């Protein structure tokens, strides 16, 4: 969702920004740009494409102050002209977010003026220059007071020897280093460089000079902001010998389960207070987070007997939800930044409900809003497609449901440990690639299952389509005959997940129906009878027997690896799928 970074007081600032920008590419990779400043003069390079495409230009970007941007296009196509930074007069800036009233501002202040780009961001830099009367901070305060929408801005002014950073609804952090001051979209970009950071709040304005940072509110009154230890460590950014972050992160699924389980045990004190008297649960999230919510729903209903609904956060916001003091809303988000999920949480708070955040990002917007936080300890997830955070979310929801049900969480933790061990075995298997070849050649891939297996089917389908671009859907197995079967022919593949012996014969019916229409089938199962009945008819992948409710943690690894291998066969970059970005901070 655009990554921004800046430094002042560092020799070779553009080189520093370039290196850090690469760590933010998961936020968008449509274009990249850096501007530096020396003696009041700007030097700039920007281009459509990934960050490496500007690597050759760094040496001509002089000065010890620089800003950089990696873009996920919203307003204006990916192009050189629309790449950031944008410059107007004595100002240069990079922007993450959307200025919703940019057209009105353009009309009001720049009627008849030809803009250099089609971006909403350009109006901001032009306003800064328009309002500038010798005080850069005053120009920033006046400009942002007119903006509607979301933004994190890093600004250079030719007359100010440093950077100005401000934000609303999009993240920005400040970092402290050896005589230099830094800023970035998030903490991992400064891992290994800044051991201490400050997380900016909405409306804060930070003035960064070499080795000094001052904070102001929107009226330019000095305010205090605390420093915290940078939670991101640079070793998490190593690929550890893996060709892609996606594979590295799938390999980290077992540790994500174990660490999340351990973190829950430490953080669960007080959760019962928030959950006391809860009669209804609504889970909200987007994409993979929504899919993990489908698994969570089963836990809350099966263990705690509490009626639970799962809603995509974007829909929930606009349907006048009915919330009261006995409704708990569980907002799931890896990044804690997703605009729809954050806004859904705010809406609930406004209606007097309780919000419990399940998130991998302890200093995010979502944690600030929530009444209670259940941590996901997946570690930094860099691949755009979520993998280890999905299994971390399921782990957190499982533990939370046990607490709600008044069940023994230690027994639950033991089961999770055992399941994490079984997941390790699946990750090492090489036979998953065989069906990837079938998927890569298919016109469509359908993921089917019943109950918890259906929940994983939705995630398998999302994973496959987003990184391989093969059309895919996830269906309840029983729905097949109500329409989807019309799509099945020799050019389609289906993945049928069967982990519940009680439901196995029903799901096997779906296998038979597909086979009789000459569709290719992979059965992912740990049910012995299913193995016997389907072997020889369909491709079969046996996974270990485990606690019925934790089987999603194993079948998830299979569908993640299947998607990864399919993407590789089709020559896709699994870490950076087209058109997508991690952390969707716009609506
Ligand atoms: C898919 C994926 C997305 C995210 C979604 C929500 O692999 O990663 O569907 O799950 O954008 O993101 P978070 O969890 O950060 O709110």
């Amino acid at each position: 969702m655009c990554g921004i970074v800046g430094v002042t007081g560092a020799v070779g600032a553009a080189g520093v920004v370039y290196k850090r920008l690469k760590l933010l590419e998961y936020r968008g990779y449509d274009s990249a740009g850096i501007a530096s400043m020396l003696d009041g003069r700007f030097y700039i390079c920007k281009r459509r494409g990934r960050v490496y495409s500007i690597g050759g230009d760094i040496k001509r970007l002089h000065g010890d102050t620089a800003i950089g941007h990696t873009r996920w296009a919203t307003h204006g196509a990916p192009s050189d002209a629309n790449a950031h930074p944008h410059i107007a007069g004595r100002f240069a800036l990079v922007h993450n977010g959307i200025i919703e009233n940019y057209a009105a501002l353009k009309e009001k202040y720049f009627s008849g003026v030809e803009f250099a780009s089609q971006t909403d961001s350009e109006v901001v830099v032009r306003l800064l220059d328009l309002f500038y009367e010798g005080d850069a901070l005053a120009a920033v305060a006046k400009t942002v007071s007119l903006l509607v929408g979301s933004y994190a801005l890093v600004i250079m002014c030719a007359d100010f020897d440093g950077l100005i950073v401000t934000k609303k609804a999009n993240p920005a952090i400040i970092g402290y280093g050896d005589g230099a001051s830094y800023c970035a979209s998030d903490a991992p970009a400064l891992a290994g460089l800044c051991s201490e950071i400050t997380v900016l709040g909405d409306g804060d304005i930070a003035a960064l000079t070499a080795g000094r940072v001052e904070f102001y509110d929107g009226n330019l009154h000095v305010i205090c902001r605390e420093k915290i230890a940078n939670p991101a460590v640079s070793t998490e950014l190593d690929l550890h010998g893996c060709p892609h972050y996606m594979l590295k992160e799938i390999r980290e699924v077992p540790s994500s389960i174990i660490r999340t389980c351990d973190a829950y045990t430490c953080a669960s004190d007080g959760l019962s207070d928030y959950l006391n008297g809860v009669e209804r649960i609504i889970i909200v999230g987007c994409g993979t987070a929504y899919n993990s919510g489908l698994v969570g729903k089963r836990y809350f209903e099966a263990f705690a007997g509490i009626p639970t609904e799962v809603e995509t956060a974007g829909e929930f916001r606009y349907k006048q939800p009915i919330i009261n003091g006995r409704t708990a809303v569980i907002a799931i988000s890896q990044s804690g930044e997703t605009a729809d999920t954050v806004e859904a949480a705010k809406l609930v708070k406004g209606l007097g409900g309780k919000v419990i955040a399940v998130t991998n990002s302890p200093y995010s917007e979502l944690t600030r809003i929530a009444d209670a936080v259940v941590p996901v300890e997946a570690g930094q997830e860099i691949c755009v497609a979520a993998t280890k955070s999905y299994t971390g979310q399921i782990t957190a929801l499982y533990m939370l449901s046990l607490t709600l049900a008044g069940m023994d969480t230690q027994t639950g933790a033991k089961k999770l440990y055992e399941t994490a061990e079984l997941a390790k075995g699946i990750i090492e298997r090489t036979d998953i690639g065989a069906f990837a070849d079938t998927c890569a050649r298919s016109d469509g891939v359908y993921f089917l299952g019943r109950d918890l297996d259906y929940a994983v089917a939705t995630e398998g389908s999302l994973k496959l389509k987003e990184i391989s671009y093969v059309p895919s859907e996830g269906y309840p197995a029983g729905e097949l005959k109500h329409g989807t079967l019309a799509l099945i022919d020799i050019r389609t593949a289906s993945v049928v997940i069967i982990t519940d012996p009680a439901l196995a014969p029903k799901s096997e019916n779906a296998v038979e129906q597909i086979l009789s229409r000459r569709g290719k089938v992979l059965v992912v199962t740990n049910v012995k009878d299913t193995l016997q009945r389907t072997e020889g008819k369909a491709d079969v992948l046996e996974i270990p027997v485990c606690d019925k409710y934790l089987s999603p943690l194993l079948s998830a690894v299979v569908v993640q690896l299947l998607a990864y291998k399919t993407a590789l066969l089709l020559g896709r970059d699994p870490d950076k799928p087209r058109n997508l970005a991690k952390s969707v901070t716009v609506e």
Side-chain angles (χ1 to χ4, degrees):
M1 206 61 357
C2 298
I4 57 175
V5 66
V7 59
T8 185
V11 177
V16 177
V17 165
Y18 176 70
K19 199 167 155 197
R20 299 291 145 178
L21 213 47
K22 282 186 169 172
L23 303 177
L24 285 170
E25 263 198 313
Y26 62 87
R27 299 179 69 90
Y29 29 84
D30 287 327
S31 65
I34 297 177
S36 67
M37 185 170 71
L38 177 67
D39 297 333
R41 185 175 160 197
F42 296 133
Y43 300 83
I44 184 165
C45 71
K46 56 179 191 167
R47 180 162 305 125
R48 178 179 182 172
R50 299 209 176 158
V51 173
Y52 69 78
S53 71
I54 55 170
D57 298 277
I58 300 302
K59 54 186 174 304
R60 56 176 191 79
L61 303 181
H62 310 292
D64 62 6
T65 298
I67 58 178
H69 189 269
T70 178
R71 180 168 186 245
W72 184 73
T74 56
H75 289 61
S79 69
D80 292 358
N82 290 335
H84 297 218
H86 294 286
I87 295 181
R90 304 199 65 72
F91 286 86
L93 67 65
V94 288
H95 169 218
N96 169 32
I98 289 184
I99 307 302
E100 289 169 9
N101 62 337
Y102 84 101
L105 291 169
K106 195 170 166 181
E107 182 63 30
K108 179 167 179 189
Y109 292 98
F110 304 106
S111 177
V113 176
E114 193 163 331
F115 274 38
S117 75
Q118 294 127 21
T119 64
D120 52 335
S121 315
E122 188 177 344
V123 81
V124 184
V125 75
R126 285 183 181 263
L127 285 172
L128 288 166
D129 197 51
L130 182 70
F131 297 143
Y132 183 56
E133 293 174 341
D135 182 343
L137 280 171
V140 171
K142 175 153 186 190
T143 299
V144 298
S145 73
L146 299 177
L147 303 181
V148 176
S150 61
Y151 53 82
L153 297 163
V154 188
I155 297 160
M156 291 194 295
C157 172
D159 306 319
F160 177 78
D161 194 11
L163 299 171
I164 300 171
V165 187
T166 185
K167 68 142 257 169
K168 183 184 149 205
N170 275 335
I173 59 154
I174 306 300
Y176 307 88
D178 241 357
S181 302
Y182 302 84
C183 61
S185 293
D186 61 23
L190 303 183
L193 191 63
C194 303
S195 54
E196 286 186 315
I197 61 167
T198 293
V199 181
L200 279 192
D202 278 357
D204 290 358
I205 298 175
L208 283 62
T209 48
R212 189 176 167 81
V213 181
E214 274 162 4
F215 298 96
Y216 303 90
D217 65 14
N219 297 315
L220 297 182
H221 296 134
V222 174
I223 52 173
C224 291
R225 286 287 172 255
E226 64 166 343
K227 286 183 186 177
I228 56 169
N230 187 351
V233 286
S234 50
T235 47
E236 287 211 17
L237 307 173
D238 294 344
L239 275 161
H240 296 292
C242 290
H244 299 101
Y245 280 111
M246 183 167 185
L247 184 59
K248 172 188 176 257
E249 289 164 6
I250 294 173
R251 287 191 176 156
E252 288 167 351
V253 161
S255 64
S256 166
I257 297 170
I258 289 168
R259 286 169 47 178
T260 302
C261 178
D262 291 351
Y264 184 85
T265 312
C266 302
S268 58
D269 286 357
L271 264 177
S272 323
D273 295 344
Y274 286 108
L275 300 171
N276 209 2
V278 165
E279 290 176 355
R280 177 173 162 240
I281 293 173
I282 303 174
I283 300 177
V284 294
C286 301
T288 291
Y290 169 85
N291 291 342
S292 73
L294 294 176
V295 178
K297 169 184 161 73
R298 284 291 285 119
Y299 295 161
F300 293 120
E301 292 184 341
F303 303 152
I306 300 179
T308 304
E309 297 144 52
V310 192
E311 298 262 12
T312 57
E315 286 296 309
F316 174 81
R317 288 175 62 187
Y318 298 110
K319 53 176 282 196
Q320 298 170 321
I322 301 161
I323 305 282
N324 63 31
R326 290 182 304 281
T327 310
V329 173
I330 299 177
I332 308 174
S333 174
Q334 185 283 129
S335 62
E337 280 182 34
T338 298
D340 281 326
T341 311
V342 168
E343 291 304 320
K346 285 184 188 162
L347 176 70
V348 172
K349 295 285 293 185
L351 294 170
K354 297 170 186 164
V355 173
I356 298 167
V358 174
T359 180
N360 199 29
S361 303
Y363 300 107
S364 60
E365 189 70 10
L366 189 60
T367 57
R368 271 197 285 267
I369 298 165
D371 297 287
V373 176
V374 178
V376 173
E377 286 283 338
Q380 174 73 15
E381 193 174 64
I382 291 176
C383 175
V384 166
T387 52
K388 59 178 180 170
S389 65
Y390 173 69
T391 47
Q393 287 161 0
I394 292 174
T395 303
L397 293 167
Y398 178 75
M399 293 298 277
L400 182 61
S401 69
L402 297 183
T403 303
L404 254 170
M407 288 164 71
D408 177 19
T409 50
Q410 285 203 347
T411 309
K414 189 168 164 286
K415 287 182 186 171
L416 282 165
Y417 271 66
E418 286 164 6
T419 312
E421 204 52 47
L422 297 175
K424 277 186 199 161
I426 296 178
I427 292 163
E428 298 314 322
R429 283 173 62 162
T430 50
D431 51 352
I432 295 171
F435 201 74
D437 192 51
T438 304
C439 292
R441 292 161 192 264
S442 296
D443 289 352
V445 180
Y446 304 100
F447 287 79
L448 305 167
R450 282 175 190 264
D451 193 21
L452 283 166
D453 294 334
Y454 161 63
V456 179
T458 61
E459 178 60 6
S461 166
L462 177 62
K463 220 76 316 174
L464 187 88
K465 75 177 97 161
E466 75 175 318
I467 62 165
S468 73
Y469 320 148
V470 175
S472 175
E473 295 293 341
Y475 285 103
E479 279 291 293
L480 181 69
K481 54 194 177 295
H482 297 291
T484 312
L485 199 53
L487 297 172
I488 302 294
D489 64 16
I490 198 165
R491 296 186 308 276
T492 64
S494 298
V495 178
V496 186
I497 305 169
I498 306 176
T499 64
D500 185 342
L503 300 174
K506 306 276 177 217
S507 296
E508 287 168 34
N509 287 343
V511 174
E512 295 292 347
Q513 287 156 14
I514 298 165
L515 289 173
S516 61
R517 271 81 185 173
R518 299 171 69 210
K520 313 271 185 348
V521 180
L522 172 69
V523 177
V524 179
T525 189
N526 55 9
V527 179
K528 294 283 173 241
D529 289 346
T530 300
L531 270 172
Q532 277 167 10
R533 289 194 290 255
T534 50
E535 208 125 46
K537 290 186 190 171
D539 285 31
V540 180
L541 207 141
E542 184 180 1
I543 58 173
V545 176
C546 66
D547 181 89
K548 167 183 157 177
Y549 288 100
L550 296 180
S551 66
L553 296 172
L554 302 186
S555 47
V557 174
V558 173
V559 295
Q560 289 169 355
L561 284 169
L562 183 64
Y564 174 72
K565 287 171 192 271
T566 306
L568 292 193
L569 286 170
L570 290 168
R572 319 291 190 215
D573 178 348
D575 286 344
K576 297 188 179 71
R578 69 183 179 199
N579 306 339
L580 299 179
K582 216 164 178 70
S583 307
V584 185
T585 54
V586 296
E587 289 178 46

